[in-house]
Amino acid sequence: MQADTVRQSVVLRRRPSGEPDRSDFDIIEDAIPTPAPGEVVTRTIWLSIDPYMRGRLREQQTYAKAIEIGEVMTGETVGEVIASADPTLAVGDIVVGARGWQSHVLSKAAQLTKVDKAGAPISTYLGVLGMPGTTAYTGVTDILKPKAGETVVVSAASGAVGSVAGQLAKRAGARVVGVAGGADKCFYVQDSLAFDDCVDHRAMDLRAELAAACPNGIDCYFENVGGAVQAAAFDLLNPFARVAMCGMVSQYNQDPFPPGPNLGFVVGKRVLIQGFIVSDKPDRMAEWRKLAAPWVADGSLIYREDEIDGLENAPDALGGILGGRNFGKLLVRVGPDPH
Amino acid sequence: MQADTVRQSVVLRRRPSGEPDRSDFDIIEDAIPTPAPGEVVTRTIWLSIDPYMRGRLREQQTYAKAIEIGEVMTGETVGEVIASADPTLAVGDIVVGARGWQSHVLSKAAQLTKVDKAGAPISTYLGVLGMPGTTAYTGVTDILKPKAGETVVVSAASGAVGSVAGQLAKRAGARVVGVAGGADKCFYVQDSLAFDDCVDHRAMDLRAELAAACPNGIDCYFENVGGAVQAAAFDLLNPFARVAMCGMVSQYNQDPFPPGPNLGFVVGKRVLIQGFIVSDKPDRMAEWRKLAAPWVADGSLIYREDEIDGLENAPDALGGILGGRNFGKLLVRVGPDPH
């Protein structure tokens, strides 16, 4: 266990070319800060690793500021308050919302959400009950709106977002087909998540296998990956299909991006393609937590976590999630979790 | 003037490769039919030529049945009733809705709409007050929803759809930029239609010219053409931009279709891309006619017609509209218009 006076931070050394790894980052040490009025310091227990982080390492940004060279890498954490200068939070409280690849994070109290230590496992506030779960909920509820009997395809189906998106579509009565990488993930998607079918995106003829799994075409597509999976899914879209554009992780390491599908089909089939970012609707996370917490408690909402130990391994973990080497919600265990 | 007992029809001889012309069609003659109960026969006055017709000549269809070899080519007409076996229509009535590249069309009376001979010029029911105008109205109203001060880009801006779409966006208080082919059309778009700017898509650096015309980026894009114009417009879309996908005429003669834009930007910018077909909302045409007829009457809704004489020239007219050689709503004058 690290000394209680030293803080470790992962900072960007250089902009990665292709898949990021530890050589693109430095680990620096300084003193654990002291909170000013309205602030608290947390020790990080869990750090979330998410595909969007790759975008923050690019110079050119679309919706958020790039991480600068020498700046601490961003990321959501669950932590324990170890020093508080705000009346709303006490030492020992567990909070979510502190951002940074750091052993200890200084935050304004107003940016943090206190979570119930006696409720769901605290790591779930970074996954099934956190940003990824809320992302799935928003995309399915606001864009896909699957109807009973419709066919819904979810890419990256075993992942933190896809696994929830597919389960929500199942609850709506849809036939749900996952796309995932490899036999283990496909087995999990069908056996544990109870999707109706799952196609391995490494298949020799992905389009033919997806077509076979979707004999009535595709009414809704939850897009997490782009590339060949997108091309295959777009080919099979039915008239009036909806596409929730959540991410295109297959190309996050590519520069420049490859050409996309010809969009002529969008006209004739009246397809809706809608990009979205979960943080645009900040009220949705609380709404989702209220809805889903009972499902986590009764075991009816299935989730899976993939843990990596040690803050120093966070850079390789980011490389791993972009390469699909994680299996479930990827978390870095930064400090002990007594809960 | 043709004999009153003979009907001429344009039928498909073979599926065109590239731009269609008269060698792809035959003109056949038969007797003018006699209406059965519930039917009427019209003599065609105006035949509408529209880009969507090229799609009907392809074997593979998305939303409508292909024209078969030997079948009469489809197309909306304005005609005069010359024989009626239905109490709702009388000889001499002017009707819109009869479909076919024919000098005389046999229709069920219920498929036809009688128009007011004393109102707007009857040719406008195929253009500004017809399907193209309603298409513009639907796309702008239901998908783009431009707000005052936003930038709206309209491709094929001098055409039957684009000219109305841009004028509607102007009425909503938006800054409207057209894209059209050549100096004459661009002058018309700025001078007569009063768009704020117009970019010639034949410019050496289309993207740079469009960027210069849209210093605040693009909030709404009304897509009629695809190809290089689409790529330039997509590059300049702002966060939360809306794209009404009405058509992609630049590629209708191509087989296979070229690759499209990479869609990664849709996620980060939360772009909405929505395809639509005007006939999905059949009530909208009457709604639009009621709204727009006074604007046509008072001269505040500008439109332009491009007339070709003679049914036998309809195939070349279709080639011309796909090549952008028309200037305004393209109509074939099939018979005399006394109104």
Side-chain angles (χ1 to χ4, degrees):
Chain A
M1 201 173 158
Q2 48 195 241
D4 271 335
T5 57
V6 174
R7 170 170 73 170
Q8 291 190 309
S9 302
V10 180
V11 302
L12 184 61
R13 179 190 294 173
R14 63 178 177 208
R15 302 209 176 277
S17 159
E19 189 172 296
D21 63 28
R22 61 182 62 224
S23 70
D24 299 314
F25 296 88
D26 282 316
I27 298 184
I28 61 170
E29 297 196 340
D30 63 358
I32 296 175
T34 304
E39 295 180 336
V40 301
V41 172
T42 51
R43 76 167 178 91
T44 303
I45 299 171
W46 295 105
L47 165 66
S48 181
I49 303 291
D50 299 283
Y52 80 81
M53 293 171 171
R54 181 63 179 86
R56 296 289 198 287
L57 303 178
R58 285 180 185 265
E59 193 132 27
Q60 210 182 346
Q61 293 292 309
T62 52
Y63 69 97
K65 221 172 70 58
I67 304 292
E68 300 297 332
I69 305 298
E71 191 181 350
V72 175
M73 183 64 188
T74 192
E76 241 194 2
T77 68
V78 168
E80 179 182 14
V81 176
I82 61 167
S84 176
D86 190 274
T88 64
L89 288 173
V91 170
D93 283 348
I94 298 292
V95 294
V96 64
R99 298 191 68 80
W101 290 22
Q102 292 184 301
S103 63
H104 301 79
V105 186
L106 178 70
S107 309
K108 292 195 196 315
Q111 296 171 320
L112 305 178
T113 302
K114 183 174 160 179
V115 302
D116 176 12
K117 287 185 270 195
I122 61 173
S123 59
T124 59
Y125 292 99
L126 298 178
V128 64
L129 294 181
M131 184 275 283
T134 310
T135 299
Y137 172 62
T138 304
V140 172
T141 306
D142 294 358
I143 300 170
L144 297 187
K145 300 172 184 165
K147 299 186 198 89
E150 286 192 325
T151 298
V152 177
V153 169
V154 179
S155 59
S158 70
V161 174
S163 60
V164 175
Q167 290 181 81
L168 286 173
K170 282 297 295 178
R171 283 177 186 260
R175 172 178 163 77
V176 179
V177 175
V179 181
D184 286 355
K185 288 180 180 174
C186 281
F187 182 79
Y188 169 74
V189 167
Q190 282 194 257
D191 190 63
S192 299
L193 300 181
F195 287 20
D196 297 282
D197 206 340
C198 189
V199 172
D200 186 346
H201 69 70
R202 299 168 190 160
M204 289 291 287
D205 189 346
L206 172 62
R207 193 196 173 285
E209 296 210 9
L210 190 60
C214 303
N216 299 319
I218 298 174
D219 301 297
C220 300
Y221 177 49
F222 198 107
E223 172 62 294
N224 289 313
V225 304
V229 181
Q230 179 179 90
F234 277 20
D235 256 6
L236 296 166
L237 291 177
N238 287 330
F240 302 101
R242 290 83 70 196
V243 178
M245 294 288 286
C246 176
M248 286 173 58
V249 67
S250 73
Q251 68 182 30
Y252 288 176
N253 290 326
Q254 294 181 52
D255 188 13
F257 294 139
N262 183 284
L263 293 179
F265 75 92
V266 171
V267 180
K269 292 186 177 171
R270 299 82 135 182
V271 167
L272 168 80
I273 300 177
Q274 171 76 70
F276 72 107
I277 302 286
V278 62
S279 52
D280 289 333
K281 296 180 176 176
D283 295 345
R284 284 305 176 90
M285 192 173 290
E287 185 181 319
W288 168 242
R289 280 186 181 148
K290 196 171 165 188
L291 181 70
W295 298 342
V296 170
D298 71 16
S300 67
L301 184 62
I302 310 295
Y303 67 98
R304 179 183 173 115
E305 295 175 345
D306 189 345
E307 300 178 16
I308 305 265
D309 263 315
L311 181 61
E312 68 279 10
N313 294 317
D316 290 340
L318 177 56
I321 203 171
L322 296 165
R325 295 189 293 279
N326 63 306
F327 187 173
K329 170 63 198 137
L330 187 56
L331 297 167
V332 176
R333 183 194 296 270
V334 180
D337 179 357
H339 304 284
Chain B
M1 206 173 158
Q2 50 196 235
D4 271 335
T5 56
V6 175
R7 170 169 73 171
Q8 291 190 309
S9 301
V10 180
V11 302
L12 184 62
R13 177 189 296 173
R14 62 179 177 208
R15 302 207 177 279
S17 158
E19 188 172 296
D21 64 26
R22 61 181 63 224
S23 71
D24 299 313
F25 296 87
D26 283 316
I27 298 183
I28 61 170
E29 296 196 342
D30 64 358
I32 296 175
T34 304
E39 294 179 337
V40 302
V41 171
T42 51
R43 77 167 177 90
T44 302
I45 300 172
W46 295 105
L47 165 66
S48 181
I49 303 291
D50 299 282
Y52 81 83
M53 292 171 171
R54 180 64 179 84
R56 295 290 197 288
L57 303 177
R58 286 181 184 265
E59 192 131 29
Q60 210 183 343
Q61 292 293 308
T62 53
Y63 70 98
K65 221 172 68 60
I67 305 292
E68 301 296 333
I69 305 297
E71 191 180 351
V72 175
M73 183 63 188
T74 191
E76 241 194 2
T77 68
V78 169
E80 179 182 12
V81 176
I82 60 166
S84 177
D86 189 274
T88 65
L89 288 171
V91 169
D93 283 347
I94 298 293
V95 293
V96 63
R99 298 191 68 81
W101 290 23
Q102 292 184 302
S103 63
H104 301 80
V105 186
L106 178 70
S107 309
K108 291 195 197 316
Q111 296 170 320
L112 305 178
T113 302
K114 183 174 159 180
V115 302
D116 176 12
K117 287 185 271 194
I122 62 172
S123 59
T124 61
Y125 292 99
L126 298 178
V128 63
L129 295 181
M131 184 275 283
T134 310
T135 299
Y137 172 62
T138 305
V140 171
T141 307
D142 294 358
I143 299 171
L144 297 187
K145 299 172 185 165
K147 299 187 196 88
E150 286 193 324
T151 298
V152 177
V153 169
V154 179
S155 59
S158 70
V161 174
S163 60
V164 175
Q167 290 181 80
L168 286 173
K170 283 296 295 178
R171 283 176 187 258
R175 171 178 165 79
V176 179
V177 175
V179 180
D184 286 354
K185 288 181 181 174
C186 280
F187 182 80
Y188 170 74
V189 167
Q190 282 194 256
D191 190 63
S192 298
L193 300 181
F195 287 19
D196 297 283
D197 207 340
C198 189
V199 173
D200 186 347
H201 70 71
R202 297 168 192 161
M204 288 292 285
D205 189 345
L206 171 62
R207 194 196 172 284
E209 297 210 10
L210 190 60
C214 303
N216 299 318
I218 298 174
D219 301 296
C220 300
Y221 177 49
F222 197 107
E223 172 63 294
N224 288 313
V225 303
V229 180
Q230 178 180 90
F234 277 21
D235 257 5
L236 296 167
L237 291 177
N238 287 330
F240 302 101
R242 290 82 71 196
V243 178
M245 295 287 285
C246 176
M248 286 172 58
V249 66
S250 73
Q251 69 182 29
Y252 289 175
N253 289 327
Q254 294 181 52
D255 189 11
F257 294 139
N262 182 284
L263 293 178
F265 74 92
V266 171
V267 180
K269 291 185 177 172
R270 297 81 134 183
V271 167
L272 168 81
I273 300 175
Q274 170 77 71
F276 72 108
I277 302 285
V278 63
S279 52
D280 290 333
K281 297 181 176 176
D283 295 345
R284 283 306 177 89
M285 192 171 293
E287 185 182 319
W288 167 243
R289 280 185 181 150
K290 196 170 164 188
L291 180 70
W295 299 343
V296 170
D298 70 18
S300 66
L301 183 62
I302 311 296
Y303 66 98
R304 179 182 174 116
E305 295 175 344
D306 189 345
E307 300 179 16
I308 305 265
D309 263 314
L311 181 63
E312 67 280 10
N313 294 316
D316 290 340
L318 176 56
I321 203 170
L322 296 165
R325 295 189 292 279
N326 63 308
F327 187 173
K329 171 63 198 137
L330 187 56
L331 297 166
V332 176
R333 185 192 296 267
V334 180
D337 179 358
H339 304 286

